[in-house]
Amino acid sequence: MKISVLICTRNRANSLEATLERFFEQSLYGDYDYELIVVDNNSTDRTKDVVTDCAARHPGAIEYIREPRRGLCYARNIAIVAAKGDVIVFTDDDVLVSPNWLDEIYREFTKHPQVCMLGGRVLLAREGLQAVSYQPATERQEFAFPCDGGFAMGANMAFRREVFHRIGLFDVRLGAGRFFAGADEVELVYRGLKAGYHLLYAPNVLVYHNHDRVTVEQACSLEYGYAKGNAAYLIKHLLRGDMYAMRLVYWLLLTLPRRWKRRSGELDDTFHRRRAQIRGLVLGFLTAPLIMWMKSGDESSRNL
């Protein structure tokens, strides 16, 4: 088995340096080959130097690609096309992987040949970080359609190559660097679930997310972008006749007034973050019908 590990980055040279250093500290005992592909999404800092320096210490282990079009999904898609692995793994440029991370991924795909989509546990890397962009669940779970893809996070997820052959690539209208700044991985997994694949959540596949959001305002901005993306991906599938997406949109809209109200004894941080989510959902629902109806620029139907 060959495993392709993909890291997409933009102007995070310092955190990328720590990510790469931790990656090469792993104990790799499994019977597999791997490649590491770093896609530079048009950075203006010393990102290329960081990758070059690391590659000099690990000859032949890193491939560097530059993607000038701004948007995480553009970077992910070019990395997928370049990847040669049977299993394609994603993590982020602000993630510290556990010492046996890649071995655990290999073990899951070897032990469970029916598994084609895998999500892992994501913990906060240090104290003081806002409780966003993490997945602390400890229960091993398997998901099938109908459900959303919320248990898979871009910081720690993996797919068999056949998934991209069948369902296409990421939708470049979603994700970091775009107006709908989230839900790109959720939308991809949702398409996989609709195609009949199952998603396995394996908490033993563990990483630590050092996402650097330390204030409530930063957390609210992240929640706002994620919510816009969630609204957009649901509208996309609703416009294509997906009745389950239609039910999800209906229930989200129905519960918005109740969720807007402050709950008794609720902490200020929780209240402000939920309001940010709601604002993002509303703006997403208002703008997505036009944007997600148009297929120009959407690479999600482009197969490997």
Side-chain angles (χ1 to χ4, degrees), residues 234-252:
L234 289 173
I235 291 295
K236 170 184 174 177
H237 288 273
L238 182 156
L239 292 173
R240 287 155 174 75
D242 184 330
M243 297 304 296
Y244 182 67
M246 184 179 296
R247 288 198 295 272
L248 291 176
V249 170
Y250 170 77
W251 283 110
L252 280 171

Side-chain angles (χ1 to χ4, degrees), residues 174-224:
L174 303 172
R178 311 297 290 174
F179 176 75
F180 299 116
D184 43 316
E185 62 266 33
V186 176
E187 195 274 334
L188 179 84
V189 171
Y190 186 77
R191 276 188 279 133
L193 293 168
K194 287 176 64 175
Y197 295 114
H198 288 200
L199 170 68
L200 174 65
Y201 173 73
N204 52 301
V205 178
L206 172 64
V207 302
Y208 300 89
H209 200 179
N210 193 20
H211 60 60
D212 76 16
R213 274 81 173 187
V214 295
T215 68
V216 177
E217 291 75 19
Q218 289 173 319
C220 287
S221 177
L222 196 65
E223 299 276 18
Y224 176 74

